[in-house]
Amino acid sequence: MTSLGHVLPQSMHFAEPLPLRSGATLADYTLVYETYGTLNAERSNAVLVCHALNASHHVAGSYAGQARSEGWWDNMIGPGKPLDTRRFFVIGVNNPGSCFGSTGPMHVNPATGRPYGAAFPVVTVEDWVQAQARLLDRLGIDRLAAVMGGSLGGMQALSWTLQFPERMGHALVIASAPNLSAQNIAFNEVARRAIITDPDFHGGDFYAHGVVPKRGLRVARMIGHITYLSDDSMEEKFGRALRSAELAYSTQEIEFQIESYLRYQGDKFSEYFDANTYLLITRALDYFDPALAQGGDLSAALAVARAKFLVVSFTTDWRFSPLRSREIVKALLDNRRDVSYAEIAAPHGHDAFLLEDPRYIGAVRAYFERVAQEIGA
Amino acid sequence: MTSLGHVLPQSMHFAEPLPLRSGATLADYTLVYETYGTLNAERSNAVLVCHALNASHHVAGSYAGQARSEGWWDNMIGPGKPLDTRRFFVIGVNNPGSCFGSTGPMHVNPATGRPYGAAFPVVTVEDWVQAQARLLDRLGIDRLAAVMGGSLGGMQALSWTLQFPERMGHALVIASAPNLSAQNIAFNEVARRAIITDPDFHGGDFYAHGVVPKRGLRVARMIGHITYLSDDSMEEKFGRALRSAELAYSTQEIEFQIESYLRYQGDKFSEYFDANTYLLITRALDYFDPALAQGGDLSAALAVARAKFLVVSFTTDWRFSPLRSREIVKALLDNRRDVSYAEIAAPHGHDAFLLEDPRYIGAVRAYFERVAQEIGA
């Protein structure tokens, strides 16, 4: 089991506008993507990997000359890894609206000649899937062996099965949910308010002012981090450990290690993440709700799916708890779909989907063995 | 069971400085308090009620000419109510550092002639208990029939049993914890960062600038509210209900009812709550940890307690879960203390301690019956 080694991002321009769920359209746009492995002669071994809030097309491998530049799912994808690039052709693509290369709010709006800012159209999970499908058209891939994603990426995998049921064999929906709960939306909304009310946000046009709403981004990221970790893992990792042996008795200085950790995560995030992207992606999360058009009946909504499924959840994930994954499984079983479900007793909360739990990794490996056998890869 | 009717706050000035845990002292200060019922001839029927973050001395009854001015525990305290003011003399006192009348960061620092602001000394649960004890000295109350509090108020009740074990008969510790978890501290820290990084905070001296860091206070309150409600009750009350029939597809406009609710709560809070007080009180929560001096051994820490206890927790409280209350119960049982414990299957999360669950109300009522019998009230 070795790493992919060095990889290179590619980009593709699309001149035809993308019609969006909202009724708006995204004018010509560019998608940045990476591929690993080799597309076979039958063009049957492609696997699309969808990213979550704070991730990108850079799924695996690393960049030449950049230390610690491994992709966000490098432990999952590579030669001999669970998604084995010796057998599969893997595609990672940055979604429009994101801030890692594909057209986003920091890019020039052709209609105005200035950065989109808050005028970037609201994009949905469904829109992203449409954009991904167009990329596959261009790559000459009619049918995917599988679509795979965790968290918001899992929502994209699920949406694929509804929008393009005949274009895929399998969906791997990991640490995800059929929609956000009120509490999930609530956390997103607090994060958005922190960003939007930061005076440096300038109504989304901060680019023109040469500033970044870092205060808001920091708070947003700190909130996010709390929801990614389980209560228990936070307790085990930090507990009430103090930074110094003596208390400072201060409301502003750091006393506890957990404060130091959160501030560091917030600072780091505010250095690279785009504030408008944060708003757009949390909104895409809020809006995702395939059952809505069926009056909330998820089983009815998933009736069009034809893919076979692996659904995975983690016991300590309180952001998207196992109960939410079981809703998906139940709706699939109501439709007599082929579904495998693994509920992994992992301590790390939502973050577990990015980590190395052997049962989890083993379940994904075994599932891709099956996919490989089916397509003879 | 009727209301107390109209009540009046009183205030008492203390000229002698209060030495604080931090090593600092609070110069002369004023405490605002209310009392309900009548102190009996033996002075044995006094019950002190301690408040949490966003509450005050105004525990029960209402203010003449002010609609909806009922005290925060009016459902619990009054003639014929669980804490029956026909039998008990009830005292509510606003803690120093708060923003409801007792000396706090918005008041003039005698050392500078200007508002304390961020220079207000950091106060702890232990300091508040000392201040409360001084008030009782002045009121001529040597021994309390009981000390009662919910959440942070419960920590004060617990601290009373350790600092003044002989001065009280009973402690009612409701929806509380022996200390904050890493996750609890994390939420406090995000709220503090939102306030401190609000440009209108001005390092705590916003009074001089004629502004209030409302953006930070709003975010802080929104975060708080999420942790006060259970996931389930939020889901039941709001779910994914939309404000309008049609989606607006906007990152800034309100789409979901939960967003509207949170923004409203944040706005309301930012109109009346003091930003420095928010920092001080969340810090007092962070610091509370009676087991620390015993190397984390709560049983050793509680060995000095002599009170009898009622401990109450709520099954859906994820801020201070039943597990945390059970730690207190276990430590008391290790010391062969007299402890009653009620774990109430209530759906409302942490907020349940302020609500009307009949099992909860019944447990408190029954407990005070016992206290009344013991003192012949």
Side-chain angles (χ1 to χ4, degrees):
Chain A
M1 203 166 91
T2 56
S3 170
L4 267 171
H6 295 155
V7 298
L8 277 175
Q10 301 172 259
S11 73
M12 196 175 284
H13 182 74
F14 295 79
E16 56 279 31
L18 185 71
L20 305 172
R21 269 286 162 114
S22 65
T25 54
L26 184 60
D28 71 304
Y29 58 98
T30 296
L31 296 181
V32 176
Y33 65 100
E34 293 182 5
T35 68
Y36 323 117
T38 309
L39 190 61
N40 62 12
E42 303 80 27
R43 299 182 165 268
S44 68
N45 68 335
V47 175
L48 176 69
V49 177
C50 305
H51 70 77
L53 197 154
N54 175 36
S56 72
H57 53 281
H58 183 42
V59 182
S62 59
Y63 294 145
Q66 283 187 41
R68 291 186 303 279
S69 64
E70 285 76 23
W72 55 271
W73 231 346
D74 191 64
N75 59 352
M76 191 65 93
I77 296 157
K81 293 187 181 178
L83 175 47
D84 189 342
T85 49
R86 297 172 309 192
R87 304 166 94 178
F88 291 102
F89 178 67
V90 178
I91 305 150
V93 53
N94 190 217
N95 289 321
S98 180
C99 53
F100 296 108
S102 293
T103 299
M106 68 300 299
H107 294 131
V108 171
N109 180 351
T112 64
R114 288 181 296 122
Y116 280 103
F120 195 88
V122 165
V123 281
T124 63
V125 167
E126 289 77 10
D127 299 328
W128 287 333
V129 168
Q130 291 291 331
Q132 291 158 5
R134 284 193 179 180
L135 175 69
L136 296 176
D137 292 343
R138 291 275 198 91
L139 295 175
I141 297 166
D142 287 338
R143 183 180 162 88
L144 291 160
V147 183
M148 178 187 192
S151 191
L152 175 56
M155 291 175 172
Q156 293 162 61
L158 185 58
S159 185
W160 259 95
T161 71
L162 309 179
Q163 297 192 75
F164 298 103
E166 308 296 348
R167 259 190 106 162
M168 61 194 292
H170 296 266
L172 291 86
V173 178
I174 300 170
S176 194
N179 62 26
L180 293 200
S181 69
Q183 190 187 71
N184 293 147
I185 296 172
F187 279 121
N188 281 348
E189 173 68 0
V190 184
R192 282 192 296 263
R193 295 317 293 170
I195 290 170
I196 290 167
T197 63
D198 183 332
D200 285 339
F201 183 64
H202 292 289
D205 294 326
F206 52 89
Y207 316 105
H209 293 78
V211 291
V212 166
K214 287 192 177 182
R215 290 173 291 239
L217 279 166
R218 284 192 198 106
V219 167
R221 183 59 164 178
M222 291 169 85
I223 294 170
H225 248 280
I226 298 175
T227 70
Y228 303 152
L229 302 181
S230 72
D231 189 10
D232 282 352
S233 65
M234 213 182 241
E235 199 60 25
E236 193 175 313
K237 197 166 173 185
F238 303 103
R240 298 180 51 82
L242 296 168
R243 194 153 79 154
S244 309
E246 290 288 304
L247 289 173
Y249 288 104
S250 162
T251 58
Q252 304 201 22
E253 287 173 47
I254 290 172
E255 293 275 37
F256 297 92
Q257 293 290 6
I258 180 65
E259 297 174 304
S260 174
Y261 171 79
L262 283 180
R263 288 200 203 178
Y264 173 76
Q265 295 294 339
D267 287 347
K268 210 172 57 168
F269 189 71
S270 74
E271 296 291 332
Y272 70 84
F273 208 83
D274 180 79
N276 285 306
T277 291
Y278 203 91
L279 305 183
L280 288 167
I281 298 193
T282 54
R283 240 348 177 193
L285 277 158
D286 291 355
Y287 285 133
F288 182 68
D289 190 12
L292 183 63
Q294 301 290 337
D297 183 343
L298 188 62
S299 299
L302 300 195
V304 298
R306 291 292 168 268
K308 297 168 187 167
F309 281 77
L310 173 65
V311 178
V312 181
S313 70
F314 301 93
T315 49
T316 57
D317 183 351
W318 62 281
R319 184 176 171 88
F320 295 149
S321 80
L323 286 174
R324 306 309 317 276
S325 282
R326 287 189 217 152
E327 290 177 39
I328 298 172
V329 172
K330 158 86 167 69
L332 292 168
L333 293 176
D334 285 344
N335 288 293
R336 298 173 183 281
R337 290 280 87 81
D338 180 331
V339 52
S340 302
Y341 176 52
E343 194 166 304
I344 308 289
H348 301 104
H350 190 59
D351 258 3
F353 89 87
L354 296 167
L355 302 176
E356 285 277 2
D357 184 280
R359 269 192 59 204
Y360 162 47
I361 299 287
V364 174
R365 178 183 292 278
Y367 197 83
F368 274 115
E369 280 291 340
R370 169 188 168 182
V371 179
Q373 279 170 18
E374 281 183 17
I375 61 169
Chain B
M1 203 167 90
T2 57
S3 170
L4 267 171
H6 294 156
V7 298
L8 277 175
Q10 301 172 260
S11 73
M12 196 176 283
H13 183 73
F14 294 79
E16 54 279 30
L18 185 70
L20 304 172
R21 269 285 163 118
S22 64
T25 54
L26 185 59
D28 71 303
Y29 58 97
T30 297
L31 296 182
V32 176
Y33 65 100
E34 293 183 6
T35 69
Y36 324 117
T38 308
L39 189 61
N40 63 11
E42 302 80 25
R43 300 182 165 268
S44 67
N45 69 334
V47 175
L48 176 68
V49 178
C50 304
H51 71 76
L53 198 155
N54 175 35
S56 72
H57 53 282
H58 183 43
V59 182
S62 60
Y63 294 145
Q66 282 188 40
R68 290 186 305 279
S69 63
E70 285 77 22
W72 55 271
W73 231 346
D74 191 65
N75 60 352
M76 191 66 91
I77 296 157
K81 293 188 181 178
L83 175 47
D84 189 343
T85 50
R86 296 172 311 192
R87 304 166 95 179
F88 291 101
F89 178 66
V90 178
I91 305 151
V93 52
N94 190 218
N95 289 322
S98 179
C99 53
F100 296 108
S102 293
T103 299
M106 69 298 300
H107 294 131
V108 171
N109 180 350
T112 64
R114 288 182 294 121
Y116 279 103
F120 195 88
V122 165
V123 280
T124 63
V125 167
E126 288 78 10
D127 299 329
W128 287 333
V129 167
Q130 291 291 331
Q132 292 159 4
R134 284 193 179 180
L135 175 68
L136 297 176
D137 293 342
R138 291 276 197 92
L139 296 175
I141 296 165
D142 287 338
R143 183 180 163 87
L144 291 160
V147 183
M148 177 187 191
S151 191
L152 175 57
M155 292 176 171
Q156 292 162 62
L158 185 58
S159 186
W160 259 95
T161 72
L162 309 179
Q163 296 192 74
F164 298 104
E166 308 297 346
R167 257 189 107 163
M168 61 194 293
H170 296 266
L172 290 87
V173 178
I174 300 170
S176 195
N179 61 27
L180 293 200
S181 69
Q183 190 188 70
N184 293 147
I185 296 172
F187 279 121
N188 280 348
E189 173 67 0
V190 184
R192 281 192 296 264
R193 295 317 294 169
I195 289 170
I196 290 166
T197 64
D198 183 333
D200 284 339
F201 182 64
H202 292 288
D205 294 327
F206 52 90
Y207 316 107
H209 293 78
V211 293
V212 165
K214 287 193 177 182
R215 291 174 290 240
L217 280 167
R218 284 191 198 105
V219 167
R221 182 59 163 178
M222 292 169 84
I223 295 169
H225 247 281
I226 298 174
T227 69
Y228 303 153
L229 302 180
S230 72
D231 190 12
D232 282 352
S233 66
M234 213 180 240
E235 199 59 26
E236 193 174 314
K237 197 167 174 186
F238 303 103
R240 297 181 51 84
L242 296 168
R243 194 153 81 155
S244 309
E246 290 288 304
L247 288 173
Y249 288 103
S250 161
T251 57
Q252 304 201 22
E253 287 173 48
I254 289 173
E255 292 276 34
F256 297 92
Q257 294 290 5
I258 181 65
E259 297 175 304
S260 174
Y261 171 79
L262 282 181
R263 288 200 202 179
Y264 173 77
Q265 295 294 339
D267 286 347
K268 209 171 60 169
F269 189 70
S270 75
E271 295 289 333
Y272 71 84
F273 207 83
D274 180 78
N276 285 307
T277 291
Y278 203 92
L279 305 183
L280 288 167
I281 298 193
T282 54
R283 242 345 179 192
L285 276 158
D286 290 355
Y287 285 133
F288 183 67
D289 190 12
L292 183 62
Q294 302 290 337
D297 183 342
L298 188 62
S299 300
L302 300 195
V304 298
R306 291 292 169 268
K308 297 167 187 168
F309 281 78
L310 174 64
V311 178
V312 180
S313 71
F314 301 94
T315 49
T316 57
D317 183 351
W318 62 281
R319 184 177 171 86
F320 295 149
S321 80
L323 286 174
R324 305 312 315 276
S325 282
R326 286 188 217 153
E327 290 177 40
I328 298 172
V329 172
K330 158 83 166 70
L332 291 168
L333 292 176
D334 284 344
N335 288 293
R336 299 172 182 280
R337 290 280 88 82
D338 180 330
V339 51
S340 302
Y341 176 52
E343 195 167 303
I344 308 290
H348 301 102
H350 190 61
D351 258 4
F353 89 86
L354 296 168
L355 302 177
E356 287 276 3
D357 184 279
R359 268 192 59 206
Y360 162 47
I361 297 287
V364 174
R365 179 183 291 279
Y367 197 83
F368 274 115
E369 279 292 339
R370 170 190 168 183
V371 178
Q373 278 169 20
E374 281 182 15
I375 60 168

